[in-house]
Amino acid sequence: MSVNFAAQIISVLAALVLLTSFGLLIQKRVYGLLHLFAWQGLFLSISTAVVGYVAKQHHLYISSILTLALKVIVLPYILHTLIVRLKIRKEVDTVVNIPTTMLMGIALVIFSYHLTAPIRELSTLVTRSIIAVALATVMLGLLMMITRRHAVTQIIGFLALENGLFFAATSATYGMPLVVELGVALDILIAAFVFGIFFFHISETFDSLDVEQMARLKEEE
């Protein structure tokens, strides 16, 4: 595989990661969110393996396998179990309507390309073209967190944001040291279990996972 061909594959995968980020923004069905998150993890995993092949960074193969196992299989399964056990509604509410959210997302992508332009000019890495996409993925994940009312959808936004951070590390420095990546993967897995325990307790106490209702209860106190 030539470097130019690999760079084109990475660019296509980066576009698919960005596309799934917009899909997460506009998706209103909770199971649709899970599927899009799993697809984003799959594109991220393949991209990491291709970068590892081109850059001859063999530890990225392990990162790719971890991403595949954790973000395509384990985390979607845990979230799916939570949704079923907590009997969460299939439709999710948003703070801002979908067209406005899309416009905000497009503005963030333009801002990301403008902000990373000097880095792309100076970088000689084969992954320099996806640095802007990685930053945009982080910002779109953050936008999803602040425009959703349900706690579970905010967690999916947080995990999408983490996908962007991992993508940024891969594109800017060919990944973090393997020990750090293993630690981050373990932290995410533990966080998923902790979130699940909190969700069960919050659901039993407030009979809802709508953060707006919980904030209203706090104001009444």
Side-chain angles (χ1 to χ4, degrees):
M1 184 189 302
S2 68
V3 175
N4 288 335
F5 183 62
Q8 290 177 6
I9 293 176
I10 293 169
S11 296
V12 171
L13 291 168
L16 291 173
V17 169
L18 185 61
L19 189 63
T20 52
S21 294
F22 274 103
L24 290 171
L25 278 181
I26 65 173
Q27 181 58 252
K28 297 196 72 173
R29 297 183 66 82
V30 66
Y31 287 121
L33 288 173
L34 283 185
H35 294 154
L36 283 168
F37 174 71
W39 277 108
Q40 188 179 66
L42 178 63
F43 297 140
L44 194 59
S45 172
I46 298 173
S47 172
T48 304
V50 175
V51 172
Y53 174 79
V54 173
K56 296 181 174 52
Q57 300 289 329
H58 301 301
H59 72 279
L60 287 179
Y61 293 137
I62 298 175
S63 300
S64 173
I65 294 171
L66 279 175
T67 302
L68 182 68
L70 194 62
K71 297 176 180 176
V72 181
I73 300 172
V74 176
L75 289 178
Y77 175 76
I78 292 174
L79 291 171
H80 183 272
T81 304
L82 279 175
I83 291 167
V84 173
R85 294 285 297 276
L86 296 175
K87 298 177 181 177
I88 294 172
R89 288 191 301 121
K90 294 182 179 178
E91 297 285 340
V92 293
D93 297 324
T94 57
V95 178
V96 183
N97 62 52
I98 297 299
T100 305
T101 307
M102 284 291 291
L103 290 175
M104 294 167 68
I106 292 171
L108 288 174
V109 172
I110 295 172
F111 174 72
S112 299
Y113 271 89
H114 177 72
L115 187 66
T116 57
I119 301 174
R120 283 183 282 118
E121 290 291 332
L122 295 174
S123 177
T124 58
L125 300 178
V126 70
T127 54
R128 62 183 179 277
S129 62
I130 63 173
I131 295 175
V133 176
L135 180 60
T137 304
V138 172
M139 291 190 173
L140 293 177
L142 183 61
L143 179 62
M144 183 180 171
M145 287 180 68
I146 62 178
T147 56
R148 297 298 174 115
R149 288 178 174 164
H150 204 279
V152 172
T153 55
Q154 290 184 349
I155 293 303
I156 296 175
F158 169 76
L159 294 172
L161 184 153
E162 196 279 331
N163 279 348
L165 290 174
F166 179 79
F167 205 28
T170 304
S171 59
T173 61
Y174 287 156
M176 297 172 284
L178 183 58
V179 174
V180 177
E181 292 182 3
L182 290 174
V184 172
L186 182 62
D187 286 345
I188 294 172
L189 187 60
I190 292 173
F193 283 108
V194 172
F195 285 143
I197 294 169
F198 273 125
F199 286 164
F200 275 110
H201 283 289
I202 292 171
S203 180
E204 289 178 357
T205 305
F206 298 104
D207 198 28
S208 173
L209 286 175
D210 190 319
V211 293
E212 191 170 277
Q213 291 186 25
M214 287 185 273
R216 196 178 301 133
L217 289 172
K218 183 179 179 182
E219 290 173 1
E220 289 175 357
E221 290 178 357

